[in-house]
């Protein structure tokens, strides 16, 4: 089971003069996408008992995502109000004292042996106590299972930049797979080209750094030559959940190939990584073709032209 640990929230998406509430959150979206693709997926994050919490649980159940490790909470669900500019999404978060934000390391459950990989990322890495809890979780499991991180950096959400940069440095050093967008790379390494920044991050310990670029497709930096996958051309509705879906495609492809484990990652080939890039970009293309974070099901991916 691929366990996704990180935020779930309600995206308040503009609809005329009002907002439409849609389940979302970077890590939550990846868990949903994995489940819809047919991967054995699990989710770990406190889920509120408020009405929005119930709204979050339904898509998880529908995608057959295991939520047995997710505690219920009487605290409120995080809200993210979305502004769309040219199809690009920007967010204002309402998160103080929320169910997820108040997760502590002491609240973490024991991670069962059936968990074969861990995915983390998003705004859950920024504030404490939840950021420290995720870091503690990674430190606890990294010796036995692979870890993938997508920080999905939101500069306006960061109150203590030095502390956040230090946390990312520690987490990236413990991760096997790292996904970064162009905006992420520019924030992490100002003044460097995207390829230079990704190559520098690769030296910190990860086996692969995946670099996404929207319509430019995706690249992978590893011990061999840089690998590329072209973007699938679609009419873009918005970009909400695109990177999260890409992450699921990468994990699902590596899992299908039987290499999402300590031994397999040590023996990765260009073919494995190219397949991961390809599934990630194909899955993301379907997500951006429709409003909100709405990842594809396996049958939709199968029907997408090659």
């Amino acid at each position: 089971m691929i366990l996704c640990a990180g935020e779930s929230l309600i995206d308040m998406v503009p609809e005329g003069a009002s907002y439409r509430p849609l389940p979302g959150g970077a890590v939550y979206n990846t868990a949903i996408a994995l489940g819809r693709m047919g991967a054995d997926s699990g989710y770990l994050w406190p889920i509120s008992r408020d009405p929005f919490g119930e709204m979050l649980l339904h898509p998880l159940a529908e995608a057959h995502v295991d939520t047995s490790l997710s505690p219920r909470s009487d605290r409120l669900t995080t809200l993210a109000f979305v502004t769309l500019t040219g199809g690009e999404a920007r967010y204002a978060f309402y998160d103080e004292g929320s169910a997820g934000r108040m997760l502590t390391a002491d609240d973490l459950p024991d991670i069962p042996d059936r968990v074969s990989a861990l995915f983390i990322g998003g705004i859950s890495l920024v504030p404490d106590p939840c950021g420290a809890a995720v870091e503690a979780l990674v430190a606890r499991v990294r010796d036995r299972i692979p870890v993938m991180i997508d920080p999905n950096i939101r500069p306006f959400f960061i109150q203590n930049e030095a502390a956040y940069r230090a946390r990312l440095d520690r987490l990236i050093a413990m991760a096997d797979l790292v996904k970064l967008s162009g905006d992420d790379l520019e924030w992490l390494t100002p003044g460097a080209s995207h390829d230079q920044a990704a190559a520098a991050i690769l030296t910190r310990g990860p086996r692969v750094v995946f670099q996404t670029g929207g319509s430019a497709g995706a690249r992978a930096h590893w011990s061999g030559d840089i690998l590329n996958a072209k973007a699938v051309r679609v009419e873009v509705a918005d970009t909400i959940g695109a990177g999260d879906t890409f992450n699921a495609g990468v994990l699902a492809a590596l899992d299908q190939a039987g290499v999402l484990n300590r031994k397999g990652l040590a023996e990765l080939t260009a073919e494995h990584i190219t397949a991961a890039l390809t599934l990630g970009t194909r899955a993301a293309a379907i997500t951006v073709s429709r409003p909100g974070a709405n990842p594809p099901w396996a049958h939709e991916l199968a029907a997408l032209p090659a």
Side-chain angles (χ1 to χ4, degrees):
M1 180 174 74
I2 303 169
L3 181 64
C4 300
E7 81 273 6
S8 52
L9 49 81
I10 297 296
D11 283 322
M12 303 298 286
V13 179
E15 195 170 78
S18 60
Y19 287 89
R20 179 186 178 192
L22 295 172
V27 180
Y28 173 91
N29 292 339
T30 297
I32 295 288
L34 279 166
R36 289 186 177 186
M37 290 181 198
D40 186 5
S41 174
Y43 184 60
L44 165 54
W45 204 245
I47 296 178
S48 176
R49 293 187 179 89
D50 68 13
F52 287 133
E54 295 301 319
M55 188 181 295
L56 289 166
L57 283 173
H58 177 72
L60 290 166
E62 188 180 38
H64 304 291
V65 178
D66 185 334
T67 58
S68 61
L69 297 177
S70 292
R72 300 303 300 273
S73 171
D74 290 327
R75 296 182 180 273
L76 298 177
T77 299
T78 298
L79 302 180
F81 282 80
V82 182
T83 301
L84 297 174
T85 304
E88 292 289 330
R90 295 291 183 266
Y91 302 85
F93 293 96
Y94 292 76
D95 190 47
E96 290 293 334
S98 68
R101 184 163 183 168
M102 301 312 293
L103 177 73
T104 71
D106 290 339
D107 298 325
L108 293 172
D110 292 331
I111 304 303
D113 290 341
R114 71 178 185 276
V115 174
S116 56
L118 175 67
F119 174 78
I120 63 165
I123 63 169
S124 53
L125 305 181
V126 181
D128 287 327
C130 65
V134 175
E135 188 174 346
L137 175 63
V138 172
R140 185 183 300 179
V141 303
R142 64 181 291 260
D143 288 340
R144 65 182 176 94
I145 63 173
V147 176
M148 180 175 180
I149 178 174
D150 174 9
N152 199 16
I153 298 167
R154 307 292 187 192
F156 53 82
F157 190 74
I158 302 163
Q159 295 186 348
N160 187 334
E161 182 176 322
Y164 177 59
R165 285 185 180 273
R167 172 164 291 149
L168 284 187
D169 284 344
R170 295 190 298 270
L171 288 171
I172 286 171
M174 290 191 286
D176 301 278
L177 308 171
V178 177
K179 195 292 286 281
L180 297 162
S181 68
D183 288 346
D184 294 336
L185 290 164
E186 290 165 15
W187 189 88
L188 286 168
T189 314
S193 71
H194 291 176
D195 282 353
Q196 289 171 336
I201 289 166
L202 188 66
T203 66
R204 301 186 194 177
R207 293 193 177 275
V208 186
V209 174
F210 294 95
Q211 170 192 342
T212 54
S215 61
R219 295 159 73 79
H221 300 254
W222 67 307
S223 58
D225 293 336
I226 296 174
L227 301 170
N228 297 273
K230 293 181 179 179
V232 178
R233 299 213 173 270
V234 295
E235 184 173 343
V236 176
D238 62 53
T239 61
I240 300 172
D244 312 325
T245 305
F246 175 87
N247 295 331
V250 165
L251 289 165
L254 296 176
D255 189 44
Q256 290 167 9
V259 295
L260 192 58
N261 52 67
R262 282 270 158 260
K263 183 176 184 296
L265 290 184
E267 301 172 355
L268 277 180
T269 66
E271 289 73 19
H272 293 138
I273 299 171
T274 299
L277 284 170
T278 300
L279 184 56
T281 54
R282 286 171 62 82
I286 295 176
T287 298
V288 302
S289 71
R290 50 202 192 190
N294 186 4
W297 295 85
H299 69 271
E300 294 178 302
L301 276 168
L304 191 68

